Amino acid sequence: MTRILVIEDEPTIAIGLQDDLEAEGYEVEVAGDGNTGAASAAKGGFDLILLDVMLPGRDGFTVCRDLRSSGSRTPIILLTAKGQEQDKVLGLGLGADDYVTKPFSPRELVARIQAVLRRGLRAPAAKCFRFGDVQVDFSRHELRRGGRLVEVTPSELKLLRLLIENRGEVLSIDRLLQEGWGSDIFLTDRVIYTHLNNLRAKIEPDPRHPRYIVSVRGSGYRFDG
């Protein structure tokens, strides 16, 4: 049975989520604050985490960041009343797999959960790649340059992996968004531009004249490593 951890401080919402998800056949555990939720998530055993952003003790963004920093790969869907794009970019950049804005219908949420779980099943086996003085280990979620560890976000690693696994092929912005986050998540092209520019600064000898992540005018990006 698929196990879901709900981290939500509003009792009415938490109980409603638990009832709806259990009716769909999921096993559900509820945590009422960020610290308790983080501790439960760290123990593992969950297939997906529903994480409210506005939490007492530790907010959802911090919980998400800490889980990803500790190596947790459990899919995370953020729940929040905030709908601004910068919040979506922040959450996805910290490693969340999706972002649902309150209020939402139970059917929408279940569809999102199913989509995220399907993407996880399609994830390719972890690999280690080298190019130039860069080594990236997707199994450990680490990037090193010249032997030194470089801080990189989960979203940056996700994009780098897509480019590397399709090296020599031009990937459009739409394809990067769809394969990186799914067609059911609405994000603007600026999200890709921001992440790729940050990534270039970390792996390119000269970010102004990229050697590895090459722009193809009017078409997209290609990895030439």
Side-chain angles (χ1 to χ4, degrees), residues 125-190:
K127 297 178 181 178
C128 184
F129 293 90
R130 294 177 183 268
F131 52 93
D133 64 346
V134 176
Q135 176 182 347
V136 55
D137 187 338
F138 292 110
S139 65
R140 297 173 61 88
H141 297 267
E142 287 183 353
L143 187 147
R144 294 179 181 273
R145 184 171 180 182
R148 302 181 64 178
L149 190 64
V150 177
E151 183 176 350
V152 61
T153 70
S155 292
E156 290 164 1
L157 278 179
K158 185 181 296 185
L159 287 174
L160 181 59
R161 182 169 194 156
L162 283 170
L163 289 164
I164 288 176
E165 292 184 341
N166 295 278
R167 64 178 65 198
E169 180 181 354
V170 178
L171 303 184
S172 67
I173 296 294
D174 286 344
R175 183 173 172 186
L176 289 171
L177 283 169
Q178 181 167 342
E179 294 194 18
W181 288 278
S183 57
D184 51 347
I185 301 179
F186 176 75
L187 295 171
T188 65
D189 295 355
R190 186 170 62 87

Short mmCIF file of all heavy atoms in Angstrom, two decimals, residues 125-190:
data_model
loop_
_atom_site.label_atom_id
_atom_site.label_comp_id
_atom_site.label_asym_id
_atom_site.label_seq_id
_atom_site.Cartn_x
_atom_site.Cartn_y
_atom_site.Cartn_z
N ALA A 125 17.95 4.79 -13.80
CA ALA A 125 18.91 4.40 -12.77
C ALA A 125 19.96 5.49 -12.59
O ALA A 125 20.36 6.16 -13.53
CB ALA A 125 19.59 3.09 -13.16
N ALA A 126 20.40 5.65 -11.35
CA ALA A 126 21.40 6.68 -11.05
C ALA A 126 22.73 6.34 -11.69
O ALA A 126 23.12 5.18 -11.79
CB ALA A 126 21.55 6.81 -9.54
N LYS A 127 23.43 7.39 -12.14
CA LYS A 127 24.71 7.20 -12.81
C LYS A 127 25.67 8.29 -12.37
O LYS A 127 25.30 9.28 -11.77
CB LYS A 127 24.53 7.25 -14.33
CG LYS A 127 23.64 6.15 -14.90
CD LYS A 127 23.50 6.31 -16.40
CE LYS A 127 22.59 5.24 -16.99
NZ LYS A 127 22.40 5.41 -18.44
N CYS A 128 26.93 8.07 -12.70
CA CYS A 128 27.98 9.06 -12.44
C CYS A 128 28.58 9.47 -13.77
O CYS A 128 28.88 8.62 -14.61
CB CYS A 128 29.04 8.46 -11.52
SG CYS A 128 30.32 9.63 -11.02
N PHE A 129 28.72 10.78 -13.98
CA PHE A 129 29.26 11.30 -15.24
C PHE A 129 30.46 12.21 -14.95
O PHE A 129 30.51 12.88 -13.93
CB PHE A 129 28.20 12.10 -15.99
CG PHE A 129 27.04 11.28 -16.50
CD1 PHE A 129 25.93 11.09 -15.72
CD2 PHE A 129 27.09 10.68 -17.76
CE1 PHE A 129 24.86 10.33 -16.17
CE2 PHE A 129 26.03 9.92 -18.23
CZ PHE A 129 24.92 9.75 -17.43
N ARG A 130 31.36 12.23 -15.92
CA ARG A 130 32.51 13.13 -15.87
C ARG A 130 32.61 13.89 -17.19
O ARG A 130 32.41 13.31 -18.25
CB ARG A 130 33.82 12.36 -15.65
CG ARG A 130 33.95 11.68 -14.30
CD ARG A 130 35.26 10.89 -14.24
NE ARG A 130 35.40 10.14 -13.01
CZ ARG A 130 36.01 10.61 -11.91
NH1 ARG A 130 36.55 11.82 -11.94
NH2 ARG A 130 36.08 9.86 -10.83
N PHE A 131 32.93 15.17 -17.11
CA PHE A 131 33.24 15.96 -18.30
C PHE A 131 34.13 17.12 -17.84
O PHE A 131 33.85 17.78 -16.85
CB PHE A 131 31.98 16.47 -19.00
CG PHE A 131 31.00 17.18 -18.11
CD1 PHE A 131 31.04 18.57 -17.98
CD2 PHE A 131 30.04 16.47 -17.40
CE1 PHE A 131 30.14 19.23 -17.17
CE2 PHE A 131 29.13 17.13 -16.58
CZ PHE A 131 29.18 18.50 -16.46
N GLY A 132 35.20 17.34 -18.58
CA GLY A 132 36.18 18.35 -18.16
C GLY A 132 36.66 18.04 -16.75
O GLY A 132 37.04 16.91 -16.45
N ASP A 133 36.63 19.05 -15.88
CA ASP A 133 37.03 18.83 -14.49
C ASP A 133 35.83 18.65 -13.57
O ASP A 133 35.93 18.78 -12.36
CB ASP A 133 37.89 20.00 -14.00
CG ASP A 133 37.15 21.33 -13.97
OD1 ASP A 133 36.05 21.40 -14.57
OD2 ASP A 133 37.65 22.29 -13.37
N VAL A 134 34.68 18.32 -14.18
CA VAL A 134 33.42 18.17 -13.43
C VAL A 134 33.07 16.69 -13.29
O VAL A 134 33.17 15.93 -14.25
CB VAL A 134 32.27 18.91 -14.14
CG1 VAL A 134 30.95 18.67 -13.41
CG2 VAL A 134 32.56 20.40 -14.22
N GLN A 135 32.65 16.32 -12.09
CA GLN A 135 32.12 14.98 -11.84
C GLN A 135 30.78 15.15 -11.15
O GLN A 135 30.66 15.87 -10.17
CB GLN A 135 33.04 14.16 -10.94
CG GLN A 135 32.49 12.79 -10.58
CD GLN A 135 33.39 12.01 -9.65
OE1 GLN A 135 34.55 12.38 -9.45
NE2 GLN A 135 32.88 10.96 -9.07
N VAL A 136 29.75 14.50 -11.70
CA VAL A 136 28.42 14.57 -11.09
C VAL A 136 27.95 13.16 -10.80
O VAL A 136 28.00 12.27 -11.65
CB VAL A 136 27.42 15.32 -12.00
CG1 VAL A 136 27.34 14.70 -13.39
CG2 VAL A 136 26.05 15.38 -11.37
N ASP A 137 27.56 12.94 -9.56
CA ASP A 137 27.08 11.64 -9.10
C ASP A 137 25.61 11.79 -8.75
O ASP A 137 25.26 12.33 -7.70
CB ASP A 137 27.89 11.20 -7.88
CG ASP A 137 27.57 9.77 -7.44
OD1 ASP A 137 26.47 9.29 -7.79
OD2 ASP A 137 28.40 9.15 -6.76
N PHE A 138 24.73 11.31 -9.64
CA PHE A 138 23.30 11.48 -9.43
C PHE A 138 22.77 10.58 -8.33
O PHE A 138 21.72 10.86 -7.76
CB PHE A 138 22.55 11.24 -10.74
CG PHE A 138 22.82 12.29 -11.78
CD1 PHE A 138 23.56 11.99 -12.92
CD2 PHE A 138 22.37 13.58 -11.61
CE1 PHE A 138 23.82 12.95 -13.88
CE2 PHE A 138 22.62 14.56 -12.56
CZ PHE A 138 23.35 14.24 -13.70
N SER A 139 23.48 9.49 -8.04
CA SER A 139 23.03 8.62 -6.95
C SER A 139 23.24 9.28 -5.59
O SER A 139 22.49 9.06 -4.65
CB SER A 139 23.75 7.27 -7.00
OG SER A 139 25.14 7.44 -6.76
N ARG A 140 24.27 10.12 -5.48
CA ARG A 140 24.56 10.83 -4.23
C ARG A 140 24.10 12.28 -4.28
O ARG A 140 24.22 13.00 -3.30
CB ARG A 140 26.07 10.80 -3.95
CG ARG A 140 26.62 9.40 -3.75
CD ARG A 140 28.14 9.43 -3.64
NE ARG A 140 28.59 10.23 -2.52
CZ ARG A 140 28.76 9.77 -1.29
NH1 ARG A 140 28.51 8.50 -1.03
NH2 ARG A 140 29.18 10.55 -0.31
N HIS A 141 23.60 12.71 -5.46
CA HIS A 141 23.16 14.09 -5.65
C HIS A 141 24.30 15.06 -5.31
O HIS A 141 24.11 16.01 -4.55
CB HIS A 141 21.91 14.37 -4.83
CG HIS A 141 20.74 13.54 -5.25
ND1 HIS A 141 19.81 13.95 -6.17
CD2 HIS A 141 20.38 12.28 -4.91
CE1 HIS A 141 18.91 13.00 -6.35
NE2 HIS A 141 19.24 11.97 -5.60
N GLU A 142 25.45 14.78 -5.92
CA GLU A 142 26.64 15.59 -5.68
C GLU A 142 27.25 16.03 -7.01
O GLU A 142 27.27 15.26 -7.97
CB GLU A 142 27.69 14.82 -4.89
CG GLU A 142 27.35 14.62 -3.43
CD GLU A 142 28.46 13.91 -2.68
OE1 GLU A 142 29.44 13.46 -3.31
OE2 GLU A 142 28.35 13.81 -1.45
N LEU A 143 27.78 17.23 -7.01
CA LEU A 143 28.54 17.75 -8.14
C LEU A 143 29.87 18.28 -7.63
O LEU A 143 29.89 19.05 -6.67
CB LEU A 143 27.75 18.85 -8.86
CG LEU A 143 28.35 19.37 -10.18
CD1 LEU A 143 27.23 19.77 -11.14
CD2 LEU A 143 29.28 20.55 -9.96
N ARG A 144 30.94 17.83 -8.27
CA ARG A 144 32.27 18.28 -7.88
C ARG A 144 32.98 18.87 -9.09
O ARG A 144 32.84 18.38 -10.21
CB ARG A 144 33.11 17.13 -7.31
CG ARG A 144 32.57 16.59 -6.00
CD ARG A 144 33.39 15.44 -5.46
NE ARG A 144 32.83 14.93 -4.22
CZ ARG A 144 33.11 15.43 -3.02
NH1 ARG A 144 34.01 16.42 -2.91
NH2 ARG A 144 32.55 14.93 -1.94
N ARG A 145 33.74 19.91 -8.83
CA ARG A 145 34.54 20.54 -9.88
C ARG A 145 35.96 20.67 -9.38
O ARG A 145 36.20 21.28 -8.34
CB ARG A 145 33.97 21.91 -10.24
CG ARG A 145 34.69 22.57 -11.40
CD ARG A 145 33.96 23.81 -11.86
NE ARG A 145 34.65 24.43 -12.97
CZ ARG A 145 34.28 25.56 -13.56
NH1 ARG A 145 33.18 26.18 -13.12
NH2 ARG A 145 34.96 26.07 -14.56
N GLY A 146 36.87 20.06 -10.10
CA GLY A 146 38.25 20.04 -9.65
C GLY A 146 38.40 19.34 -8.32
O GLY A 146 39.29 19.67 -7.53
N GLY A 147 37.51 18.38 -8.06
CA GLY A 147 37.56 17.62 -6.81
C GLY A 147 36.87 18.29 -5.64
O GLY A 147 36.70 17.67 -4.59
N ARG A 148 36.42 19.53 -5.82
CA ARG A 148 35.78 20.26 -4.73
C ARG A 148 34.27 20.22 -4.89
O ARG A 148 33.73 20.39 -5.99
CB ARG A 148 36.26 21.71 -4.70
CG ARG A 148 37.77 21.84 -4.56
CD ARG A 148 38.21 23.28 -4.50
NE ARG A 148 37.70 23.96 -3.32
CZ ARG A 148 37.97 25.23 -3.03
NH1 ARG A 148 38.75 25.95 -3.84
NH2 ARG A 148 37.48 25.77 -1.93
N LEU A 149 33.57 19.99 -3.79
CA LEU A 149 32.11 19.89 -3.80
C LEU A 149 31.51 21.25 -4.13
O LEU A 149 31.89 22.27 -3.55
CB LEU A 149 31.62 19.40 -2.44
CG LEU A 149 30.14 19.02 -2.35
CD1 LEU A 149 29.84 17.82 -3.24
CD2 LEU A 149 29.77 18.69 -0.90
N VAL A 150 30.57 21.26 -5.07
CA VAL A 150 29.88 22.48 -5.48
C VAL A 150 28.42 22.38 -5.05
O VAL A 150 27.77 21.36 -5.30
CB VAL A 150 29.96 22.68 -7.02
CG1 VAL A 150 29.16 23.92 -7.44
CG2 VAL A 150 31.41 22.79 -7.46
N GLU A 151 27.92 23.42 -4.40
CA GLU A 151 26.52 23.40 -3.99
C GLU A 151 25.62 23.53 -5.21
O GLU A 151 25.79 24.42 -6.04
CB GLU A 151 26.24 24.55 -3.02
CG GLU A 151 24.82 24.55 -2.48
CD GLU A 151 24.58 25.64 -1.45
OE1 GLU A 151 25.57 26.28 -1.02
OE2 GLU A 151 23.41 25.86 -1.09
N VAL A 152 24.68 22.61 -5.35
CA VAL A 152 23.80 22.60 -6.51
C VAL A 152 22.40 22.20 -6.05
O VAL A 152 22.25 21.37 -5.14
CB VAL A 152 24.33 21.61 -7.59
CG1 VAL A 152 24.39 20.20 -7.06
CG2 VAL A 152 23.54 21.70 -8.87
N THR A 153 21.39 22.82 -6.62
CA THR A 153 20.02 22.53 -6.20
C THR A 153 19.49 21.28 -6.90
O THR A 153 19.99 20.90 -7.97
CB THR A 153 19.07 23.70 -6.53
OG1 THR A 153 18.90 23.79 -7.94
CG2 THR A 153 19.63 25.01 -6.00
N PRO A 154 18.47 20.64 -6.33
CA PRO A 154 17.87 19.48 -7.00
C PRO A 154 17.36 19.80 -8.40
O PRO A 154 17.47 18.98 -9.30
CB PRO A 154 16.73 19.08 -6.06
CG PRO A 154 17.18 19.54 -4.70
CD PRO A 154 17.91 20.82 -4.97
N SER A 155 16.81 21.00 -8.59
CA SER A 155 16.30 21.36 -9.91
C SER A 155 17.43 21.51 -10.92
O SER A 155 17.28 21.12 -12.08
CB SER A 155 15.50 22.67 -9.83
OG SER A 155 14.31 22.49 -9.10
N GLU A 156 18.55 22.06 -10.49
CA GLU A 156 19.70 22.17 -11.39
C GLU A 156 20.22 20.80 -11.78
O GLU A 156 20.54 20.55 -12.95
CB GLU A 156 20.79 23.01 -10.71
CG GLU A 156 20.44 24.48 -10.58
CD GLU A 156 21.32 25.22 -9.59
OE1 GLU A 156 22.25 24.60 -9.01
OE2 GLU A 156 21.08 26.42 -9.39
N LEU A 157 20.29 19.89 -10.81
CA LEU A 157 20.73 18.53 -11.11
C LEU A 157 19.75 17.82 -12.04
O LEU A 157 20.15 17.05 -12.92
CB LEU A 157 20.89 17.72 -9.82
CG LEU A 157 22.19 17.90 -9.04
CD1 LEU A 157 22.17 17.05 -7.79
CD2 LEU A 157 23.40 17.54 -9.90
N LYS A 158 18.47 18.08 -11.86
CA LYS A 158 17.45 17.46 -12.70
C LYS A 158 17.65 17.89 -14.16
O LYS A 158 17.61 17.07 -15.08
CB LYS A 158 16.07 17.86 -12.21
CG LYS A 158 14.92 17.18 -12.93
CD LYS A 158 13.58 17.66 -12.38
CE LYS A 158 13.38 17.29 -10.94
NZ LYS A 158 12.03 17.64 -10.44
N LEU A 159 17.87 19.19 -14.38
CA LEU A 159 18.08 19.69 -15.73
C LEU A 159 19.39 19.17 -16.32
O LEU A 159 19.45 18.79 -17.49
CB LEU A 159 18.08 21.22 -15.72
CG LEU A 159 16.72 21.88 -15.54
CD1 LEU A 159 16.89 23.38 -15.40
CD2 LEU A 159 15.82 21.56 -16.72
N LEU A 160 20.44 19.14 -15.51
CA LEU A 160 21.72 18.64 -15.99
C LEU A 160 21.61 17.19 -16.42
O LEU A 160 22.17 16.76 -17.43
CB LEU A 160 22.79 18.81 -14.91
CG LEU A 160 24.20 18.35 -15.29
CD1 LEU A 160 24.71 19.10 -16.51
CD2 LEU A 160 25.15 18.54 -14.11
N ARG A 161 20.88 16.41 -15.64
CA ARG A 161 20.71 14.99 -15.96
C ARG A 161 19.97 14.82 -17.29
O ARG A 161 20.35 14.00 -18.13
CB ARG A 161 19.95 14.28 -14.84
CG ARG A 161 19.78 12.80 -15.10
CD ARG A 161 19.29 12.09 -13.87
NE ARG A 161 19.44 10.66 -14.01
CZ ARG A 161 19.54 9.81 -13.01
NH1 ARG A 161 19.52 10.28 -11.78
NH2 ARG A 161 19.66 8.53 -13.21
N LEU A 162 18.91 15.60 -17.49
CA LEU A 162 18.17 15.52 -18.74
C LEU A 162 19.06 15.84 -19.93
O LEU A 162 19.02 15.16 -20.97
CB LEU A 162 16.99 16.49 -18.71
CG LEU A 162 15.76 16.07 -17.90
CD1 LEU A 162 14.78 17.23 -17.77
CD2 LEU A 162 15.09 14.87 -18.53
N LEU A 163 19.87 16.88 -19.78
CA LEU A 163 20.76 17.27 -20.88
C LEU A 163 21.82 16.22 -21.14
O LEU A 163 22.11 15.86 -22.29
CB LEU A 163 21.41 18.62 -20.55
CG LEU A 163 20.46 19.83 -20.60
CD1 LEU A 163 21.09 21.03 -19.89
CD2 LEU A 163 20.13 20.18 -22.05
N ILE A 164 22.43 15.69 -20.07
CA ILE A 164 23.49 14.70 -20.23
C ILE A 164 22.95 13.42 -20.86
O ILE A 164 23.57 12.83 -21.76
CB ILE A 164 24.14 14.40 -18.87
CG1 ILE A 164 25.01 15.58 -18.42
CG2 ILE A 164 25.00 13.13 -18.95
CD1 ILE A 164 25.62 15.41 -17.04
N GLU A 165 21.79 12.96 -20.40
CA GLU A 165 21.25 11.70 -20.91
C GLU A 165 20.74 11.82 -22.34
O GLU A 165 20.44 10.81 -22.99
CB GLU A 165 20.15 11.20 -19.97
CG GLU A 165 20.70 10.77 -18.62
CD GLU A 165 19.65 10.19 -17.70
OE1 GLU A 165 18.45 10.45 -17.94
OE2 GLU A 165 20.03 9.48 -16.75
N ASN A 166 20.63 13.06 -22.83
CA ASN A 166 20.26 13.29 -24.23
C ASN A 166 21.35 14.08 -24.94
O ASN A 166 21.07 14.91 -25.81
CB ASN A 166 18.92 14.05 -24.29
CG ASN A 166 17.76 13.25 -23.76
OD1 ASN A 166 17.18 12.42 -24.44
ND2 ASN A 166 17.42 13.49 -22.49
N ARG A 167 22.60 13.82 -24.56
CA ARG A 167 23.72 14.59 -25.09
C ARG A 167 23.75 14.56 -26.61
O ARG A 167 23.47 13.54 -27.24
CB ARG A 167 25.05 14.09 -24.52
CG ARG A 167 25.42 12.68 -24.90
CD ARG A 167 26.79 12.32 -24.31
NE ARG A 167 26.73 12.30 -22.86
CZ ARG A 167 27.80 12.36 -22.07
NH1 ARG A 167 29.00 12.46 -22.60
NH2 ARG A 167 27.67 12.32 -20.77
N GLY A 168 24.05 15.73 -27.18
CA GLY A 168 24.08 15.87 -28.63
C GLY A 168 22.73 16.19 -29.23
O GLY A 168 22.65 16.57 -30.40
N GLU A 169 21.65 16.06 -28.46
CA GLU A 169 20.29 16.33 -28.94
C GLU A 169 19.83 17.68 -28.40
O GLU A 169 20.06 18.01 -27.24
CB GLU A 169 19.35 15.23 -28.47
CG GLU A 169 17.91 15.40 -28.92
CD GLU A 169 17.01 14.30 -28.41
OE1 GLU A 169 17.53 13.34 -27.80
OE2 GLU A 169 15.79 14.40 -28.61
N VAL A 170 19.18 18.46 -29.27
CA VAL A 170 18.66 19.75 -28.84
C VAL A 170 17.33 19.54 -28.11
O VAL A 170 16.40 18.94 -28.67
CB VAL A 170 18.45 20.69 -30.04
CG1 VAL A 170 17.86 22.03 -29.57
CG2 VAL A 170 19.78 20.93 -30.76
N LEU A 171 17.27 20.01 -26.87
CA LEU A 171 16.06 19.89 -26.06
C LEU A 171 15.37 21.25 -25.97
O LEU A 171 16.00 22.22 -25.56
CB LEU A 171 16.38 19.37 -24.66
CG LEU A 171 17.11 18.02 -24.57
CD1 LEU A 171 17.27 17.61 -23.11
CD2 LEU A 171 16.37 16.95 -25.35
N SER A 172 14.12 21.31 -26.35
CA SER A 172 13.38 22.56 -26.29
C SER A 172 13.04 22.92 -24.84
O SER A 172 13.09 22.07 -23.94
CB SER A 172 12.08 22.44 -27.09
OG SER A 172 11.20 21.51 -26.47
N ILE A 173 12.68 24.18 -24.63
CA ILE A 173 12.26 24.61 -23.30
C ILE A 173 11.05 23.80 -22.84
O ILE A 173 10.98 23.36 -21.69
CB ILE A 173 11.92 26.12 -23.31
CG1 ILE A 173 13.16 26.96 -23.62
CG2 ILE A 173 11.32 26.53 -21.96
CD1 ILE A 173 14.22 26.90 -22.55
N ASP A 174 10.09 23.60 -23.74
CA ASP A 174 8.89 22.83 -23.39
C ASP A 174 9.25 21.42 -22.96
O ASP A 174 8.68 20.89 -22.00
CB ASP A 174 7.93 22.77 -24.58
CG ASP A 174 7.22 24.10 -24.81
OD1 ASP A 174 7.24 24.94 -23.90
OD2 ASP A 174 6.67 24.29 -25.92
N ARG A 175 10.20 20.80 -23.64
CA ARG A 175 10.57 19.43 -23.28
C ARG A 175 11.28 19.39 -21.93
O ARG A 175 11.04 18.49 -21.12
CB ARG A 175 11.46 18.81 -24.36
CG ARG A 175 11.82 17.36 -24.07
CD ARG A 175 12.54 16.72 -25.20
NE ARG A 175 13.05 15.40 -24.83
CZ ARG A 175 13.82 14.66 -25.62
NH1 ARG A 175 14.15 15.10 -26.84
NH2 ARG A 175 14.26 13.49 -25.19
N LEU A 176 12.14 20.37 -21.69
CA LEU A 176 12.83 20.42 -20.40
C LEU A 176 11.83 20.60 -19.26
O LEU A 176 11.94 19.96 -18.21
CB LEU A 176 13.85 21.56 -20.39
CG LEU A 176 15.10 21.35 -21.26
CD1 LEU A 176 15.91 22.64 -21.34
CD2 LEU A 176 15.96 20.22 -20.71
N LEU A 177 10.83 21.45 -19.47
CA LEU A 177 9.81 21.66 -18.45
C LEU A 177 8.96 20.40 -18.25
O LEU A 177 8.70 19.99 -17.12
CB LEU A 177 8.91 22.83 -18.85
CG LEU A 177 9.49 24.23 -18.66
CD1 LEU A 177 8.61 25.27 -19.33
CD2 LEU A 177 9.63 24.56 -17.17
N GLN A 178 8.55 19.77 -19.36
CA GLN A 178 7.67 18.62 -19.26
C GLN A 178 8.37 17.42 -18.64
O GLN A 178 7.83 16.74 -17.77
CB GLN A 178 7.13 18.25 -20.64
CG GLN A 178 6.17 17.05 -20.61
CD GLN A 178 5.41 16.89 -21.90
OE1 GLN A 178 5.33 17.79 -22.70
NE2 GLN A 178 4.86 15.70 -22.11
N GLU A 179 9.60 17.13 -19.09
CA GLU A 179 10.31 15.97 -18.57
C GLU A 179 10.89 16.23 -17.18
O GLU A 179 11.11 15.30 -16.40
CB GLU A 179 11.40 15.53 -19.54
CG GLU A 179 10.86 15.03 -20.87
CD GLU A 179 11.90 14.30 -21.67
OE1 GLU A 179 12.94 13.87 -21.10
OE2 GLU A 179 11.69 14.14 -22.88
N GLY A 180 11.15 17.51 -16.88
CA GLY A 180 11.69 17.83 -15.57
C GLY A 180 10.63 17.91 -14.49
O GLY A 180 10.86 17.45 -13.36
N TRP A 181 9.46 18.49 -14.84
CA TRP A 181 8.44 18.71 -13.81
C TRP A 181 7.07 18.16 -14.19
O TRP A 181 6.17 18.14 -13.36
CB TRP A 181 8.32 20.20 -13.50
CG TRP A 181 9.49 20.70 -12.74
CD1 TRP A 181 9.69 20.61 -11.39
CD2 TRP A 181 10.65 21.35 -13.26
NE1 TRP A 181 10.89 21.17 -11.05
CE2 TRP A 181 11.52 21.64 -12.18
CE3 TRP A 181 11.06 21.72 -14.54
CZ2 TRP A 181 12.74 22.27 -12.34
CZ3 TRP A 181 12.28 22.34 -14.70
CH2 TRP A 181 13.10 22.62 -13.61
N GLY A 182 6.88 17.74 -15.42
CA GLY A 182 5.60 17.19 -15.83
C GLY A 182 4.73 18.23 -16.51
O GLY A 182 4.82 19.43 -16.23
N SER A 183 3.87 17.76 -17.41
CA SER A 183 3.03 18.66 -18.19
C SER A 183 1.91 19.28 -17.38
O SER A 183 1.26 20.22 -17.82
CB SER A 183 2.44 17.91 -19.39
OG SER A 183 1.69 16.79 -18.95
N ASP A 184 1.66 18.75 -16.17
CA ASP A 184 0.56 19.26 -15.36
C ASP A 184 0.99 20.38 -14.42
O ASP A 184 0.20 20.86 -13.62
CB ASP A 184 -0.06 18.12 -14.54
CG ASP A 184 0.98 17.33 -13.75
OD1 ASP A 184 2.17 17.50 -14.04
OD2 ASP A 184 0.58 16.55 -12.88
N ILE A 185 2.25 20.81 -14.52
CA ILE A 185 2.74 21.92 -13.71
C ILE A 185 2.99 23.12 -14.62
O ILE A 185 3.70 23.00 -15.62
CB ILE A 185 4.04 21.57 -12.97
CG1 ILE A 185 3.82 20.37 -12.05
CG2 ILE A 185 4.57 22.75 -12.17
CD1 ILE A 185 5.05 19.94 -11.30
N PHE A 186 2.40 24.27 -14.30
CA PHE A 186 2.58 25.45 -15.14
C PHE A 186 3.74 26.29 -14.61
O PHE A 186 3.69 26.79 -13.49
CB PHE A 186 1.32 26.31 -15.19
CG PHE A 186 1.50 27.58 -15.97
CD1 PHE A 186 1.54 27.55 -17.35
CD2 PHE A 186 1.69 28.79 -15.32
CE1 PHE A 186 1.74 28.71 -18.08
CE2 PHE A 186 1.89 29.96 -16.03
CZ PHE A 186 1.91 29.92 -17.42
N LEU A 187 4.78 26.41 -15.41
CA LEU A 187 5.92 27.27 -15.09
C LEU A 187 6.30 28.03 -16.35
O LEU A 187 6.11 27.55 -17.46
CB LEU A 187 7.12 26.44 -14.62
CG LEU A 187 6.97 25.67 -13.31
CD1 LEU A 187 8.15 24.73 -13.11
CD2 LEU A 187 6.85 26.62 -12.14
N THR A 188 6.85 29.22 -16.18
CA THR A 188 7.26 30.00 -17.34
C THR A 188 8.67 29.61 -17.78
O THR A 188 9.41 28.96 -17.04
CB THR A 188 7.22 31.51 -17.02
OG1 THR A 188 8.22 31.80 -16.02
CG2 THR A 188 5.86 31.93 -16.51
N ASP A 189 9.03 30.04 -18.97
CA ASP A 189 10.36 29.75 -19.51
C ASP A 189 11.46 30.31 -18.62
O ASP A 189 12.58 29.78 -18.60
CB ASP A 189 10.51 30.34 -20.91
CG ASP A 189 9.57 29.69 -21.92
OD1 ASP A 189 8.88 28.73 -21.53
OD2 ASP A 189 9.52 30.15 -23.07
N ARG A 190 11.14 31.37 -17.88
CA ARG A 190 12.14 32.01 -17.03
C ARG A 190 12.72 31.06 -16.00
O ARG A 190 13.88 31.19 -15.59
CB ARG A 190 11.52 33.23 -16.33
CG ARG A 190 12.52 34.07 -15.52
CD ARG A 190 11.88 35.38 -15.09
NE ARG A 190 10.74 35.13 -14.21
CZ ARG A 190 10.84 34.98 -12.90
NH1 ARG A 190 12.04 35.01 -12.32
NH2 ARG A 190 9.76 34.80 -12.15
#
